[in-house]
Amino acid sequence: MRIGIIGGGQLGRMLALAAYPLGARVTFLDPAPDAPMSHLAKHICAAYDDERALEQLARESDVVTYEFENVPVTSALFVEQFTRVFPPPAALLVAQDRWEEKSFFSSLGIPTPNFARVDTHSELMEALENIGLPAVLKTRRLGYDGKGQFLIQTHADSERAWAALDGNALILEQFVDFTREVSILAVRGQNGECVFYPLVENFHRDGILRLSLAPARFLANAAPNDKRAQEYAQRVLGALNYVGVLAIEFFQMGDELLANEMAPRVHNSGHWTIEGAVTSQFENHARAILGAPLGSTETRGYCAMVNFIGELPEIDALLKISDAHVHLYDKAPRAGRKLGHVTIVASDEKTRDERLATGDWRFSSL
Ligand code: AMP
């Protein structure tokens, strides 16, 4: 089977690495000549809206998928004229717009932080009145890793945020004083079969994921709420007639889960599954889009996944940690850029934490 991937970043790279043992051939489309996938698969080097290139990708692939959610919806629909596209492009439409996304969650009865659509200054004032302070003003589109977001704690902040973001379609959200952040990774096959990985506990700084602990720890004030997260994910998967891996990020408050956003693709908070689960998120995504049976999501122990952000740590030191697995993405260092990650696995939480404590994580700002 031939898989086409729109986007050639680290997610595509890890997806290809998981798909090859299943006998797949992989072609990808990415405008960057030095995309992380470039030494790994056939590269169609063109813009994401280049119809000739998209048609070539489609004709060379039995199924096309994507590895980032800002793929132009028009491109996904264009490819669909020639071959199957999974996850369905409708999932992109929802995930590309924070207001559509939160409205979609609400329509499925999935709780979210309070939110309001903001297009004008007076709508911002009205939304602040209704939602209260603190609040977060975000661009509806093209924001990721905390970009295009302003925390509003005072009236002066709201004017500064408006000055910075005016001209964009915006959403105002209640600032959630969450207990912690968790995510669920769900997979749906072409026959409607669904499997779920356990909830993962995520630590962000400056809006960028730094550390994931999997499974999420048991906290007295916020027990993992896998059943509820699975129910919510199941609603999203069913509503979109979804195929592939879907990630949903939640703010947890006590045992309440408020959906923040979804990613219709493999996800950074699921990298631990490569070594920490019976079947990785990448293999399960490949299986789903190829129409194969899904693999077990059972864990192989307790994992910690640390992202390498902006610069690389001393790799040899990490490789000396027992059951530590380093992944480098072949990317040039740049501030805020995800260059790689390490997953540490252990048979119990205490050993996992001890192994994690031996690493030097200054570079990751943990
Ligand atoms: P996002 O781009 O929406 O995933 O936001 C990136 C990170 O900013 C989240 O993972 C949170 O840590 C933080 N954040 C975003 N929205 C809110 C909110 N409404 N309340 C509290 N923290 C937030």
Side-chain angles (χ1 to χ4, degrees):
M1 293 284 270
R2 300 164 311 163
I3 297 177
I5 305 178
I6 305 180
Q10 63 267 19
L11 298 176
R13 186 177 159 104
M14 289 183 271
L15 182 56
L17 287 169
Y20 287 135
L22 297 171
R25 287 189 197 168
V26 180
T27 305
F28 73 101
L29 184 151
D30 191 301
D34 60 346
M37 277 186 81
S38 52
H39 294 284
L40 207 83
K42 181 171 172 193
H43 188 175
I44 300 174
C45 191
Y48 292 125
D49 58 357
D50 179 329
E51 292 197 345
R52 268 189 41 198
L54 289 164
E55 182 173 343
Q56 185 193 344
L57 180 75
R59 293 203 185 279
E60 290 184 13
S61 307
D62 300 303
V63 60
V64 168
T65 189
Y66 40 87
E67 58 104 56
F68 69 110
E69 64 268 33
N70 287 316
V71 170
V73 177
T74 45
S75 298
L77 293 172
F78 179 79
V79 170
E80 226 178 16
Q81 297 175 355
F82 307 99
T83 192
R84 290 172 306 163
V85 177
F86 294 129
L92 288 173
L93 269 177
V94 173
Q96 286 179 358
D97 182 318
R98 292 179 191 281
W99 184 79
E100 294 286 353
E101 188 174 53
K102 290 213 163 60
S103 303
F104 177 67
F105 288 140
S106 297
S107 73
L108 296 174
I110 302 170
T112 68
N114 294 329
F115 66 97
R117 179 182 169 146
V118 171
D119 292 321
T120 62
H121 188 264
S122 64
E123 281 173 1
L124 174 59
M125 292 301 117
E126 193 184 323
L128 283 167
E129 190 80 11
N130 293 334
I131 289 173
L133 291 174
V136 190
L137 188 64
K138 303 180 178 179
T139 56
R140 277 170 55 179
R141 300 180 64 86
L142 294 176
Y144 65 96
D145 286 348
K147 295 186 175 74
Q149 301 195 8
F150 277 82
L151 176 64
I152 300 181
Q153 285 173 300
T154 62
H155 180 72
D157 288 345
S158 69
E159 292 309 313
R160 270 195 290 274
W162 178 254
L165 298 179
D166 181 18
N168 296 289
L170 302 171
I171 179 173
L172 186 77
E173 292 177 13
Q174 158 200 11
F175 178 82
V176 181
D177 189 16
F178 49 76
T179 318
R180 63 173 168 183
E181 294 187 80
V182 294
S183 59
I184 189 162
L185 283 116
V187 199
R188 187 168 182 272
Q190 290 180 25
N191 61 359
E193 170 193 14
C194 295
V195 295
F196 305 92
Y197 292 93
L199 271 182
V200 181
E201 184 171 353
N202 298 316
F203 299 83
H204 295 84
R205 180 178 292 193
D206 302 327
I208 304 177
L209 181 67
R210 309 280 161 165
L211 167 72
S212 292
L213 299 179
R217 292 169 305 168
F218 187 89
L219 301 181
N221 62 343
N225 211 335
D226 286 83
K227 204 162 157 283
R228 187 169 298 178
Q230 288 181 14
E231 270 171 33
Y232 293 159
Q234 184 103 41
R235 287 182 210 169
V236 172
L237 294 172
L240 292 169
N241 197 17
Y242 197 90
V243 173
V245 168
L246 168 85
I248 308 181
E249 294 182 75
F250 297 99
F251 300 131
Q252 183 171 11
M253 302 179 75
D255 62 1
E256 278 286 304
L257 295 175
L258 303 179
N260 177 34
E261 62 182 0
M262 60 178 243
R265 54 169 170 79
V266 286
H267 193 256
N268 195 170
S269 69
H271 290 358
W272 64 274
T273 60
I274 297 175
E275 293 86 13
V278 171
T279 316
S280 77
Q281 62 161 344
F282 301 101
E283 179 174 343
N284 259 336
H285 187 75
R287 288 185 186 216
I289 65 173
L290 293 172
L294 303 181
S296 164
T297 53
E298 220 169 288
T299 58
R300 292 189 188 278
Y302 292 82
C303 297
M305 189 281 318
V306 183
N307 275 332
F308 306 154
I309 300 188
E311 59 180 312
L312 289 178
E314 213 227 295
I315 299 299
D316 284 1
L318 292 181
L319 291 174
K320 287 186 188 144
I321 301 175
S322 189
D323 221 341
H325 305 272
V326 170
H327 297 254
L328 300 176
Y329 308 150
D330 200 5
K331 287 162 85 172
R334 196 194 305 149
R337 205 171 193 211
K338 290 175 181 168
L339 304 175
H341 74 267
V342 61
T343 297
I344 296 171
V345 189
S347 55
D348 58 83
E349 272 185 297
K350 188 165 162 282
T351 311
R352 188 267 319 272
D353 292 344
E354 282 165 8
R355 289 179 181 165
L356 182 63
T358 61
D360 174 1
W361 306 116
R362 275 168 303 180
F363 63 91
S364 277
S365 316
L366 279 187

